[in-house]
Amino acid sequence: MWSLLLFAGLSSASPASAPAHTVIARPPEQLAAAAEAERIGRDIYDFDQAAWGSTDAMVAAIPDPAAAGVRGWIVEREPAGTIATFYGLNSGLPYKLFVAHMQGKTVLSQHVVAQTEDRSMTAIEQRMVAARSLVMSPEGLRKIGFQPCSNASINSAVLPPATPDGSVSVYVLAPQATLDSFPIGGHYRADVAADGSIVRSRAFAKSCIAMDRKQVPRDVRMFVVTHLLDPQPTEIHVWTSLASHIPLAVVIAAGGDLWTVADGRIKYQYTLPASH
């Protein structure tokens, strides 16, 4: 189980009050995993922001999305920011209905794709749509061992493959109970191969736990969480810190390593004594 507490800030601790600790050089593979978690966590955050802002724009442009055939959306990066594409389905094949170019939640430009226009989606976009549909289906959720943390509708984020034949990663994300509540548990990842099969999946915690921003005193600089499943913080820690605007201190249960996650960056600080 994860433990959660409030922390007044690593940088403010005096040498006399700071716990005894050791700084240990991190192996290259662990630093590479932390860097990858930074990249993916930023993607999840940016794609989630784009989805929020573009959904508002889409509903304003298409007042009855269901009647118009809107069945979902995907987000991809582009040089100026991100592009959100809302799609319909025709015999299982997706087609474009609404496109918004985004910076964060801000819409730079938008377009309702008319029937007389080219509504086709790229092969990568089609794979992203198919991967989301597979993972978010009842059978897909059962396969990845999904356990809901609430009765609210679950969210998702789909990341494009790193290579044309690479896996599409689908993140099943626990919903926020309130605007100030940020779930840390209840999130899952599933990787869908080019052949349309789920080849890997994982949970990011063993229990449901949420961070409530309203319960954070003003003088508290970090939330401290204990993590059980990885030797370093994950993309979920990065995403949660970015979304909540609260830095995290992540203590790795096996070994006592303490890492900080702030401004989308993961940094190893030190290793606590075994007694801690």
Side-chain angles (χ1 to χ4, degrees), residues 19-230:
H21 59 267
T22 304
V23 177
I24 303 172
R26 298 293 91 196
E29 60 272 17
Q30 192 176 46
L31 295 177
E36 180 73 352
E38 289 179 354
R39 181 188 67 81
I40 296 175
R42 168 61 71 176
D43 278 348
I44 295 173
Y45 175 72
D46 288 347
F47 286 18
D48 192 43
Q49 294 290 293
W52 276 40
S54 61
T55 297
D56 291 342
M58 184 273 296
V59 172
I62 307 176
D64 191 344
V70 176
R71 294 294 177 265
W73 71 90
I74 58 170
V75 178
E76 301 167 90
R77 287 207 179 276
E78 61 178 4
T82 55
I83 178 171
T85 302
F86 291 78
Y87 59 84
L89 295 173
N90 183 8
S91 300
L93 292 178
Y95 60 93
K96 295 179 182 179
L97 286 171
F98 179 83
V99 175
H101 299 270
M102 310 291 297
Q103 277 188 348
K105 287 185 179 180
T106 302
V107 178
L108 301 179
S109 65
Q110 64 185 66
H111 178 64
V112 176
V113 186
Q115 294 184 17
T116 55
E117 298 180 75
D118 180 9
R119 290 179 159 186
S120 61
M121 301 182 74
T122 68
I124 293 297
E125 291 170 339
Q126 291 183 44
R127 285 189 54 204
M128 292 172 69
V129 171
R132 169 182 267 138
S133 297
L134 171 64
V135 174
M136 298 300 286
S137 69
E139 181 181 353
L141 292 174
R142 284 195 298 271
K143 184 168 184 178
I144 69 173
F146 174 71
Q147 296 291 328
C149 287
S150 73
N151 294 325
S153 298
I154 53 179
N155 196 4
S156 64
V158 184
L159 305 189
T163 61
D165 59 350
S167 297
V168 174
S169 295
V170 179
Y171 286 82
V172 181
L173 304 173
Q176 290 180 245
T178 69
L179 290 177
D180 291 297
S181 177
F182 297 88
I184 302 178
H187 308 299
Y188 296 75
R189 170 178 170 167
D191 294 333
V192 180
D195 64 5
S197 63
I198 298 175
V199 290
R200 289 176 299 274
S201 64
R202 63 160 298 174
F204 287 92
K206 292 188 175 182
S207 66
C208 296
I209 190 168
M211 177 175 62
D212 190 340
R213 189 163 49 192
K214 287 185 177 180
Q215 295 180 359
V216 181
R218 291 184 179 180
D219 60 340
V220 169
R221 300 182 183 179
M222 289 188 174
F223 256 74
V224 179
V225 297
T226 300
H227 184 55
L228 304 178
L229 301 181
D230 302 87

Side-chain angles (χ1 to χ4, degrees), residues 7 9-22 258 270-273 276:
F7 188 58
L10 288 172
S11 60
S12 65
S14 66
S17 62
H21 59 267
T22 304
L258 190 148
Y270 51 73
T271 299
L272 297 166
H276 288 260

